[in-house]
Amino acid sequence: MTSSAFTRTTSSVLTAAAIACGVAILAHCGMSDAGSTAVFADGGASGDPGLGGSYDDAGPSTYPLLPVNASPGLFAFRVCLSTSQYSYFSFRFNAVPWPYADTADGSASRAAIAVGSGAQVPLEILPDVYVGGSSPLNVFLIDAHALAASANPSATCEDLFGYGCPGKPSCLAPSNYLHTVAPQSWGAGPMVVAIVGCPSPGPGCGATRGPLAKLVFLPYVWTAPQTNQISVALAHASVTTGAVVATLDSSDAGAIPLDEVNHLEGPDHGALVTLPALPSSPEWETQGIAIQIADAGLRMSLADLQRVSDPSSTPASFFKAGAFYAFVLTGDQGAANPLYVDGGINPAFDGTALHFVAIQVVR
C-alpha cells in the first residue's frame, strides 16, 4: 500500500474551514481484527492490520519515515533521499523531490512540507541501495519556492544532487537547500525525522544553526485497533518545550510522559483511542489530546488536529477507524502567533506555535 502527501503553501492564514500550510495525507489503511498486532519487521503479525505485516517479505527492511518541519525559521521544503556508499550521492532512478506536485500541469509550486507540518514518505522513493540501516540516509531539504522558480522545477534528485554535482548546470545552488543525515541506526522501526534546526539563529532557535534532525522511533509493534478505534503513537519534536505529560481522551493509556531530551516516547505499543460514534458527533470538537507543561498546557480536539493536519478533510474522514497515527508535538511555546485566540483557532497561526500534527502511518 502506498500513500501520497502534500502541503499547500499558498497562504499563511488559517481559518476553521481552511488552514493554510496543512498537510493533506491521501492514504488508506486496512481494517483490523480486535486484539491483533502490527509488526514493522521480521515475522509478520498475528492478524495483519493492513500495514503489510512483515516489512521484510520483499527484501531489505524498509520502515515508515515521517519528516516533520519542526523548525520555526525554516522554509517549506521538499525532500530528496540518498545513501552515500559511493563517492557521490545515489538516488532512486528517476526520483523527483517529494512531496510531488499536486497541480494538473505538473507545477511544483504548491507541494511542500510547511513549518509545523509533517507527512509520511512513500516507500518507493527510499534509495535502492538502502539496506536495513547499513548506510546513513542523506536527507536533502529543498526550498520549495526556490525550486519552483528555478530554471528546471521538474528536475530529478539525481539532476539536483547526484553525480557531477555541484559542477553541473542542473545542480541546485547550495543556498536553496539544506542537507542532514539520519545515521545508521535508522531502520529499527517507523521513525519521525523532525527538522529542528534553523538556517540562521532566530526566534525559537537561539544559537542553533543548520538542519539538525531529531530522530524519534515510534513503536516497533503497535496494538491493532478495533473497528471503532485508532492506534496512536506520540512523539516530542518541540524546539523549546521541555518534558511534558500527555493525556488522550477515550483511551486507557493514562498519563503519558514525553521527554524530548532522552527521546522517551510512549506508550510502548501505541494507545488505543475510541473515536466518536458518528461523523456528525459533537464529540469531534471536544475529544482530543492534552498536555501539561509546568504551570501551562495545551489541549487540541480531534477536529482541530484534523484542521491543522489536513484542512481539505473532515474529522471523520481524516481519522479512519482501524488506522494508525503518529501525533507529533511541534512548535514554540512562546511563538508570536499562538494556535488559539479567543477560544478558537488563530487566523494568523503560521505553524510556529506549539501544537500537535497528526500523521497517518501506512504502508
Side-chain angles (χ1 to χ4, degrees):
M1 183 179 295
T2 60
S3 66
S4 64
F6 62 86
T7 298
R8 299 183 182 274
T9 60
T10 54
S11 171
S12 63
V13 178
L14 285 79
T15 67
I19 300 180
C21 298
V23 176
I25 302 177
L26 310 178
H28 303 278
C29 186
M31 305 297 285
S32 64
D33 296 328
S36 60
T37 58
V39 180
F40 287 91
D42 295 346
S46 173
D48 184 358
L51 286 164
S54 171
Y55 272 68
D56 287 337
D57 51 9
S61 298
T62 52
Y63 299 91
L65 177 67
L66 285 64
V68 173
N69 191 341
S71 168
L74 192 60
F75 43 71
F77 62 72
R78 300 177 70 191
V79 175
C80 282
L81 301 173
S82 169
T83 55
S84 55
Q85 290 181 311
Y86 311 110
S87 59
Y88 56 90
F89 294 112
S90 175
F91 297 90
R92 198 116 185 189
F93 179 69
N94 281 340
V96 296
W98 171 90
Y100 309 126
D102 65 307
T103 53
D105 63 356
S107 169
S109 62
R110 295 172 61 196
I113 303 296
V115 174
S117 296
Q120 180 178 324
V121 172
L123 292 179
E124 68 265 17
I125 77 167
L126 291 173
D128 286 322
V129 295
Y130 173 77
V131 180
S134 63
S135 176
L137 185 70
N138 290 275
V139 182
F140 293 88
L141 309 172
I142 304 166
D143 185 331
H145 295 291
L147 180 61
S150 70
N152 190 6
S154 300
T156 66
C157 294
E158 181 70 27
D159 293 333
L160 298 172
F161 306 107
Y163 183 77
C165 285
K168 297 186 301 183
S170 66
C171 302
L172 197 63
S175 60
N176 292 332
Y177 71 91
L178 294 172
H179 172 215
T180 191
V181 178
Q184 293 182 356
S185 60
W186 191 82
M191 188 180 74
V192 172
V193 178
I195 309 302
V196 298
C198 298
S200 60
C205 299
T208 301
R209 293 180 61 91
L212 303 180
K214 175 185 175 183
L215 311 181
V216 182
F217 289 92
L218 300 178
Y220 180 77
V221 178
W222 296 46
T223 302
Q226 300 182 32
T227 55
N228 64 338
Q229 297 175 323
I230 57 174
S231 187
V232 176
L234 302 181
H236 190 322
S238 171
V239 294
T240 59
T241 304
V244 304
V245 177
T247 305
L248 285 161
D249 298 341
S250 298
S251 170
D252 61 359
I256 304 169
L258 302 178
D259 184 341
E260 92 292 359
V261 175
N262 298 310
H263 297 187
L264 300 177
E265 313 299 337
D268 291 341
H269 299 286
L272 295 179
V273 174
T274 301
L275 297 174
L278 299 172
S280 59
S281 294
E283 286 83 4
W284 292 106
E285 297 287 351
T286 57
Q287 179 183 330
I289 185 170
I291 58 171
Q292 291 296 319
I293 314 162
D295 58 350
L298 170 73
R299 180 174 179 80
M300 294 182 70
S301 68
L302 292 175
D304 284 347
L305 273 168
Q306 169 265 308
R307 290 170 182 137
V308 169
S309 305
D310 181 359
S312 68
S313 185
T314 64
S317 59
F318 178 75
F319 290 107
K320 300 174 177 65
F324 298 74
Y325 292 83
F327 288 4
V328 184
L329 181 66
T330 182
D332 178 3
Q333 189 178 0
N337 294 312
L339 176 62
Y340 293 113
V341 171
D342 297 329
I345 290 183
N346 182 4
F349 174 64
D350 56 6
T352 61
L354 191 68
H355 67 284
F356 278 94
V357 60
I359 306 171
Q360 188 178 354
V361 182
V362 297
R363 173 158 186 180

